Amino acid sequence: MAFHTLKQGSFLVVLILAISQTLNAGDPDIISDFLIPANVTIVGSNFFTYTGFRVLVDVDPPTTFKVTKASMAEFPALNGQSVSFAVLQYPAGSVNPLHTHPRSAELLLLLDGSLEVGFVDTTNKLYTQTLQPGDMFVFPKGLIHYQYNRDGQDPALAISSFGSANAGTVSVPGTVFATGIDDDILVKSFKTDDATVQKIKAGLASKA
């Protein structure tokens, strides 16, 4: 009987922990309709309106990959709403380098052009797809992924939505090679030599 009770108790603890982890997986729930920043004294319709994407209308496309965000930083009304948005512009032959979003999955909709997308799961399996206008692709939360406009002539345009007001972006090249990690660690980690590490760092610096 004691063993049976212990097993039941252990199961309940595991179940409670699992539920707690699930509940804490996204942005925290709020107990009001919306959150008002401390520096805002009057809340009207303008507070819930974001006009930052107007700069994308009737302008020439960029010459390098560009992302324009509407996250909590740019649009404070999103705080507590567990949603954010981005417009991604890919000139011919450009790439959105390997990166992750630690706090949200990403749902991408291709509007124009073609786009090769892919992510790697925790078993190191690569999933890739070539999207056409109207196609959607989901990048699971926290997994390394990329988008590549392989077309050498035409640009591509996509929009992405996130299940967090602040999904976060961790650039793999930048995080690994541009944050002060000791060169000896990089050499040993990538099984290469110091000259190669310095060449990569120089290449990233020239594109900053």
Side-chain angles (χ1 to χ4, degrees):
M1 177 65 72
F3 179 72
H4 180 69
T5 302
L6 180 62
K7 286 200 300 183
Q8 282 186 324
S10 299
F11 173 77
L12 287 173
V13 169
V14 171
L15 182 61
I16 291 169
L17 287 173
I19 293 172
S20 297
Q21 290 298 317
T22 301
L23 292 176
N24 292 326
D27 290 353
D29 285 334
I30 60 175
I31 56 175
S32 58
D33 294 336
F34 47 85
L35 300 178
I36 304 172
N39 62 339
V40 174
T41 56
I42 300 176
V43 175
S45 298
N46 286 343
F47 177 71
F48 302 99
T49 304
Y50 182 67
T51 61
F53 289 140
R54 290 182 182 179
V55 298
L56 303 175
V57 179
D58 295 328
V59 296
D60 293 331
T63 56
T64 59
F65 168 74
K66 180 180 180 182
V67 56
T68 307
K69 298 179 181 180
S71 68
M72 190 172 72
E74 297 82 17
F75 190 10
L78 295 182
N79 188 12
Q81 302 304 319
S82 298
V83 66
S84 57
F85 200 74
V87 175
L88 304 108
Q89 297 171 279
Y90 310 84
S94 66
V95 64
N96 184 3
L98 296 166
H99 63 282
T100 70
H101 302 294
R103 292 182 286 275
S104 175
E106 174 182 359
L107 183 61
L108 181 144
L109 170 63
L110 184 63
L111 299 178
D112 191 33
S114 63
L115 206 59
E116 178 186 317
V117 299
F119 71 86
V120 180
D121 71 9
T122 55
T123 68
N124 289 329
K125 180 177 179 180
L126 173 64
Y127 298 82
T128 64
Q129 186 62 270
T130 299
L131 305 181
Q132 302 301 323
D135 293 347
M136 300 182 79
F137 192 84
V138 62
F139 302 98
K141 176 181 176 180
L143 297 185
I144 291 176
H145 60 280
Y146 69 90
Q147 301 108 30
Y148 177 35
N149 181 7
R150 194 176 288 277
D151 191 319
Q153 302 296 322
D154 297 318
L157 177 68
I159 57 175
S160 284
S161 59
F162 302 89
S164 169
N166 184 21
T169 300
V170 179
S171 165
V172 174
T175 300
V176 173
F177 291 99
T179 55
I181 296 175
D182 187 87
D183 289 349
D184 192 48
I185 294 172
L186 296 175
V187 168
K188 287 179 168 59
S189 296
F190 289 93
K191 296 179 172 55
T192 186
D193 53 59
D194 187 67
T196 301
V197 169
Q198 298 310 317
K199 186 175 181 180
I200 293 172
K201 286 187 172 184
L204 290 173
S206 67
K207 294 177 174 59

